Amino acid sequence: MKTRRSKREIASLIVGFGIIANSMRLRKRLSQIPTLDELPYGDLAKNGVLDDWVVISAEGVEINFGTMVVAIEYCRSNSLDAIDLIPSNIPVARAIEFLREYDPIEYRKNPLAEGRGANQSIVISKDAFVRTGLMKSEALDPFDMVQATKRIKQCCATSFISVIAPTLKVSSNLVRSRREWRGIYRDYDSIPLVMRILEVTILVAMSVSRKLLNKFSFASFLLAP
């Protein structure tokens, strides 16, 4: 009986440490994502620089003038062709999903990485937009927004990143729809199912020891981004 219990406790410890390690990994990724700062934007408007940029946005998303100009200035200052804007009011669950898919350091270095983003709004230079071959830039549905992000990454392999936009807020529901999931895993239809099975398996494994489960759940909650 003791042997069986000790094995369960060891299994719970392993899974628990894995959850804590993953929480720390996601928190580190979050700290590596740049944040747009408020900047004076009068000169950009006067010099006609705004005409050289395009804003791609999802349904229900409106980017204000100040955020757009600051995003353009950030691109110009960091030799970027496009940036994906992460809203300040993105739900925690959605943010964690994004951080699982997006490594801020490796994403820009790896030209073969698949395009990932918050799928809400993208500021892109007009030249790069033409290269993508995209025909629409406003009110894109979830599937088209995901596909646009992937296409931009292909055309701007090392000059496309995600940044946090504190002034960008989205009032629409940010829970991923089935159509958006299909856009992300279009060529890997079985991945969402496999991920779900793994999540359930982990929960079942940890449920064998309630005390350890409570401790690690609390620890992962504190460490989560």
Side-chain angles (χ1 to χ4, degrees), residues 14-35:
I14 294 174
V15 175
F17 279 121
I19 290 178
I20 292 178
N22 183 60
S23 297
M24 296 177 67
R25 178 179 66 94
L26 297 182
R27 178 174 285 275
K28 181 179 179 181
R29 286 187 175 184
L30 179 62
S31 66
Q32 294 171 338
I33 298 178
T35 300

Side-chain angles (χ1 to χ4, degrees), residues 34-172:
T35 300
L36 293 181
D37 297 322
E38 290 292 340
L39 297 171
Y41 45 79
D43 292 340
L44 286 178
K46 291 179 181 178
N47 296 333
V49 176
L50 301 182
D51 296 334
D52 297 329
W53 296 82
V54 177
V55 176
I56 301 174
S57 57
E59 293 175 337
V61 179
E62 293 184 4
I63 178 172
N64 60 58
F65 182 76
T67 299
M68 178 183 66
V69 176
V70 172
I72 292 173
E73 181 60 33
Y74 186 88
C75 287
R76 285 160 51 87
S77 301
N78 293 275
S79 302
L80 296 170
D81 287 316
I83 55 174
D84 170 72
L85 302 179
I86 305 173
S88 59
N89 65 335
I90 186 172
V92 174
R94 182 66 178 265
I96 291 176
E97 288 176 6
F98 170 72
L99 291 172
R100 287 173 179 168
E101 303 165 353
Y102 181 80
D103 185 334
I105 303 301
E106 295 298 324
Y107 188 78
R108 187 173 185 181
K109 290 181 180 179
N110 185 4
L112 299 180
E114 192 167 27
R116 288 287 185 263
N119 302 325
Q120 298 301 308
S121 184
I122 297 173
V123 175
I124 181 173
S125 68
K126 186 170 291 185
D127 291 340
F129 181 75
V130 172
R131 292 201 307 269
T132 63
L134 298 173
M135 304 301 294
K136 186 179 179 182
S137 63
E138 296 181 354
L140 273 66
D141 69 17
F143 179 84
D144 291 336
M145 195 68 194
V146 171
Q147 294 303 309
T149 302
K150 291 183 178 181
R151 181 57 183 159
I152 292 172
K153 175 60 177 176
Q154 292 173 352
C155 296
C156 309
T158 58
S159 57
F160 175 45
I161 65 171
S162 291
V163 299
I164 299 172
T167 57
L168 178 64
K169 298 184 183 297
V170 180
S171 58
S172 59

